[in-house]
Amino acid sequence: MATKKTKIDIDALLNPSNTDFRMVQIMDEEGKIVNPDLMPELSDEELVQFMTDMVWSRILHERSTALNRQGRLGFYAPTAGQEASQLGSIAAIEKEDVLLPGYRDVPQLIKHGLPLTKAFLWSRGHAGGNEYPEDLKALPPQIIIGAQYVQTAGVALGLKKRGNKNVAITYTGDGGTSQGDFYEGINFAGSYQAPAIFVIQNNGWAISTPRHVQTAAPTLAQKAVAAGIPGIQVDGMDILAVYAVTKKAREYALAGNGPVLIETICYRFGPHTLSGDDPTRYRDDAELEGWQAKDPLIRMRKHLTEKGLWTEEKENEVIEAAKEEIKEAVQEADKAPKQKVSSFLKNMFEEPSFTTAEQIEIFEAKENK
């Protein structure tokens, strides 16, 4: 890769007129540091936490898949393969920054402060899954493709007008960049120099539409040029690079320069969602195997093992702890009150209309039998 031979200055990339969209990489597939000048200042404990978080996320993915197949979860969008992209970026964000996730971004939401039980309730379609702790600066996952980009522009502008020293961060996939909301969001934020970080998780597929059919643009990062904001492409399987670029983008935005668009090159190992998608119908095994060799957990495991910071025993401890945490969260979610039609109607308006009040009465009578 060009990133292994050519020094890249991230500060130089943070320029609205930049046309250099080479992929930023710090750690290669063998866990070797290939761009030491870009290596962020991280303690051994922080490096271990990165790996711990990615293992936790992989286990959450595996258990969520199993729960879905058992009929105990509901909607689920697989995250395997995107751990470095998701957790590297959210690690660079502060607690008071505002997160506007898409439906595949539940791991970031949990790491930002959402109780795991709430995440399971959301996946089950339970209203309790949208009742957030008061100190959690986040919105529930957006289902409408790209809509979170427009929302993020507004939230970021609000932060700026209030004088808050924080950013708003959001995510979409490669398919989301074809939505009108995508351009409207980055254009609005750029026009008002709102402190936003827009992440494109380019995982290769928008359901069954491959990246090369999605757009003729050579990179998705360069779509930032039309909005007059910086666009950076980063190795989304390299958690160190994702963290470093996101941290720099946050500093840039907080300095009053406006938003940044980050494209992370990653891969979706599983289906688009577990709601009927079958990736074996539109992609071949060779492609999947090639990307599995770039697994973010494999390269970070190699890197930490070489440094004497990670062992098989340590990983097994993390796995068992994650399984126990998930088990307890599911048990807690199971205790949530069953939802009623009358409750849905009561939640529609603060003061129900005559018609709604009539419907509430009808359904309460049925439910109380």
Side-chain angles (χ1 to χ4, degrees):
M1 294 180 182
T3 49
K4 297 181 181 180
K5 301 177 182 179
T6 308
K7 181 181 289 188
I8 293 178
D9 183 350
I10 295 182
D11 290 318
L13 298 182
L14 288 169
N15 186 318
S17 60
N18 169 58
T19 57
D20 180 0
F21 298 104
R22 290 169 298 161
M23 186 175 71
V24 177
Q25 184 186 71
I26 294 177
M27 178 174 57
D28 68 11
E29 296 165 26
E30 298 303 317
K32 304 296 184 183
I33 302 302
V34 294
N35 273 307
D37 291 344
L38 301 183
M39 184 68 181
E41 294 184 7
L42 294 165
S43 66
D44 288 348
E45 289 75 17
E46 288 172 315
L47 290 172
V48 169
Q49 189 61 53
F50 277 175
M51 184 62 184
T52 299
D53 288 346
M54 288 198 293
V55 172
W56 165 86
S57 185
R58 184 64 61 88
I59 297 303
L60 177 62
H61 159 78
E62 293 174 356
R63 294 301 303 141
S64 295
T65 299
L67 289 165
N68 175 275
R69 290 171 176 167
Q70 295 167 10
R72 299 175 63 196
L73 188 57
F75 177 83
Y76 178 64
T79 58
Q82 296 185 217
E83 291 89 353
S85 174
Q86 295 178 318
L87 300 171
S89 55
I90 201 64
I93 298 304
E94 301 295 330
K95 182 177 176 59
E96 294 301 310
D97 294 332
V98 183
L99 169 62
L100 294 93
Y103 51 76
R104 202 182 304 279
D105 303 312
V106 175
Q108 301 100 295
L109 197 51
I110 296 169
K111 287 301 174 182
H112 202 51
L114 182 71
L116 184 53
T117 295
K118 294 283 188 180
F120 285 130
L121 287 174
W122 177 81
S123 291
R124 292 177 176 183
H126 196 289
N130 293 321
E131 296 171 353
Y132 283 11
E134 290 186 7
D135 62 344
L136 176 56
K137 307 299 184 182
L139 268 65
Q142 176 62 260
I143 296 296
I144 302 172
I145 306 297
Q148 63 270 33
Y149 263 52
V150 174
Q151 292 174 317
T152 299
V155 169
L157 181 58
L159 292 172
K160 179 179 180 179
K161 290 176 72 66
R162 292 181 180 183
N164 293 15
K165 293 299 181 181
N166 297 103
V167 302
I169 184 171
T170 191
Y171 301 80
T172 194
D174 37 306
T177 66
S178 296
Q179 293 291 105
D181 287 355
F182 166 82
Y183 178 74
E184 291 165 10
I186 64 174
N187 187 65
F188 183 95
S191 180
Y192 288 96
Q193 294 184 309
I197 299 175
F198 297 103
V199 182
I200 305 167
Q201 297 192 97
N202 180 358
N203 63 22
W205 295 86
I207 309 183
S208 59
T209 301
R211 156 66 182 87
H212 72 272
V213 174
Q214 194 65 233
T215 176
T219 71
L220 301 180
Q222 71 191 69
K223 293 193 172 191
V225 174
I229 67 174
I232 301 178
Q233 187 185 83
V234 60
D235 184 349
M237 308 296 260
D238 173 4
I239 193 168
L240 299 179
V242 174
Y243 172 81
V245 168
T246 308
K247 188 174 178 62
K248 280 285 187 179
R250 184 177 186 275
E251 293 171 358
Y252 176 92
L254 289 181
N257 299 306
V260 178
L261 182 69
I262 302 172
E263 176 189 7
T264 65
I265 304 298
C266 51
Y267 196 75
R268 164 169 56 83
F269 289 161
H272 174 68
T273 70
L274 298 187
S275 302
D277 178 44
D278 179 5
T280 64
R281 299 181 64 183
Y282 53 81
R283 67 186 189 194
D284 57 49
D285 293 339
E287 177 183 288
L288 177 59
E289 290 171 3
W291 277 98
Q292 286 177 330
K294 302 177 182 180
D295 191 319
L297 274 70
I298 292 176
R299 68 173 72 180
M300 192 61 173
R301 184 183 296 121
K302 290 179 178 179
H303 179 68
L304 294 184
T305 300
E306 181 69 21
K307 291 172 67 69
L309 298 174
W310 197 258
T311 63
E312 184 177 352
E313 290 74 20
K314 170 65 175 175
E315 185 158 332
N316 286 334
E317 290 175 4
V318 173
I319 290 172
E320 291 307 312
K323 288 181 177 178
E324 185 61 28
E325 177 189 3
I326 293 166
K327 178 182 176 181
E328 292 176 0
V330 171
Q331 290 176 341
E332 188 65 26
D334 289 342
K335 297 176 183 178
K338 299 299 181 183
Q339 299 189 101
K340 301 177 181 179
V341 175
S342 60
S343 298
F344 291 139
L345 292 169
K346 289 177 181 178
N347 289 337
M348 289 180 65
F349 305 106
E350 184 175 3
E351 292 293 334
S353 65
F354 173 79
T355 304
T356 304
E358 189 176 53
Q359 291 175 330
I360 291 173
E361 185 177 347
I362 291 171
F363 280 101
E364 281 186 331
K366 293 180 178 179
E367 293 160 355
N368 292 330
K369 287 183 178 180

